[in-house]
Amino acid sequence: MPRSVLLGTGSALPATRVTNDDLAARLDTSDAWIRERTGIVARRIADASTTTADLATEAAAAALAAAGLPPQAIDLVLVATATPDLTFPATAVRVQARLGIAGGPAFDVAAVCSGFVYALGVADSMLRAGQATRALVIGAETFSRLLDWEDRSTAVLFGDGAGAVVLERRDPPEADDVRAARGLLAIRLHADGRHEGLLHVDGGPGSTGTVGKLRMAGREVFRHAVHNLASVCHEVLEETGLPIAAIDWVVPHQANLRIIEATARKLGLPMERVVVTVHEHANTSAASIPLALDAAVRDGRIREGQLCLLEAMGGGFTWGAALLRV
Ligand code: ACO
């Protein structure tokens, strides 16, 4: 059975770094409150002329360079985003054009903070079904544009950025244990729309005709997140028969350090094996996992052959996990 193998990672961050103290100068909040409740120290915010497609294209180019491939090698482009440049065409189509390629499918995946894991699932299915050979899977957001900058309970939590991976369809080597071969070993996705009211944006082209602002009941979201994340992580492990101890790295969605720690604790994984970037990136929604993955690949923590558990939960609710042997 063919599988999707990771060939390269890349990322892009806007230049402007906004610290908690910067926010405290204009909102009734403090560095101490934000650090203690979330682990966040700073976030990057895109300037007015930078769009999601700009960040996505930069991350994609970096992933292609890491893979040693020209854009022409790609025949599927997916962008996971909740902040597309336009209502249509999809941001993925804009990225495809900027990379100088055309013809293969390109579309956006909307699953908010779980968007990257959802897009991995879609790409993996299409690659394994023979509908594409090499995919760019990108998570990219200018999430700052959805924030109510008067609402201290949400404005301090998010940031902008993009991350990308290149996946290639390959036949696994004839190994005794296919779990030892590189590639996506398992992926599970879930959604439950009954909780829309706990985390949503209060506008859209088909309802208000506006973009809307993010609204969240933080405490409730926290509770659901830890439960759902731990449960879906167990599912992918059970599917492969691999024990928790086999995981080299967890690359979680970077929403909040307390959610990351509580989930790791529930899984029985030490924090030394968890990649954390939330302190510098804050929550970049669909971009957070590929941003964290790229950071840990580039600094040499994540190495070829290691087993990574990717997990995310976000608005919808949506949630999912993937087991990837890098
Ligand atoms: N600065 C100072 N005080 C604040 C701030 C702020 N930025 N925001 C809220 N407060 C105040 C509240 O007004 C409240 O004051 P009160 O007691 O006088 O009413 C007090 O702090 C406590 O507020 P809570 O919302 O109950 O604080 P909590 O301990 O739950 O922490 C937080 C809030 C950080 C949002 C937490 O609930 C959380 O992390 N939730 C997870 C949400 C999340 O990360 N979502 C991301 C999207 S979903 C996902 O990616 C998983």
Side-chain angles (χ1 to χ4, degrees), residues 29 33 37 113 152-153 199 216 218-219 253 255-256 283 313:
T29 188
W33 193 95
R37 305 285 176 123
C113 299
R152 66 177 182 174
S153 69
L199 178 54
M216 178 170 71
R219 201 158 274 221
H253 168 50
N256 178 311
N283 182 346
M313 144 105 186

Side-chain angles (χ1 to χ4, degrees), residues 45-72:
I45 302 290
D47 63 37
S49 65
T50 301
T51 69
T52 296
D54 293 330
L55 296 170
T57 306
E58 191 183 330
L64 284 168
L69 289 172
Q72 290 69 28

Side-chain angles (χ1 to χ4, degrees), residues 167-205:
L167 296 179
E168 182 176 73
R169 174 185 200 265
R170 281 196 190 162
D171 290 321
E174 285 176 27
D176 290 343
D177 185 353
V178 287
R179 297 172 305 177
R182 293 178 65 206
L184 259 173
L185 306 185
I187 190 153
R188 284 290 174 100
L189 306 171
H190 294 285
D192 183 347
R194 290 174 298 174
H195 304 295
E196 176 186 304
L198 298 179
L199 178 54
H200 67 288
V201 166
D202 62 6

Side-chain angles (χ1 to χ4, degrees), residues 27-30 33-34 37-38 112-114 143 151-158 199 214 216-223 225 229 253-259 283 285 312-315 317:
L27 274 174
D28 181 15
T29 188
S30 66
W33 193 95
I34 301 170
R37 305 285 176 123
T38 71
V112 207
C113 299
S114 314
F143 224 70
D151 176 12
R152 66 177 182 174
S153 69
T154 54
V156 304
L157 302 175
F158 297 91
L199 178 54
L214 182 139
M216 178 170 71
R219 201 158 274 221
E220 293 299 309
V221 172
F222 194 113
R223 204 168 47 77
L229 288 170
H253 168 50
Q254 310 283 321
N256 178 311
L257 185 59
R258 291 190 303 155
I259 293 179
N283 182 346
S285 182
M313 144 105 186
F317 289 141

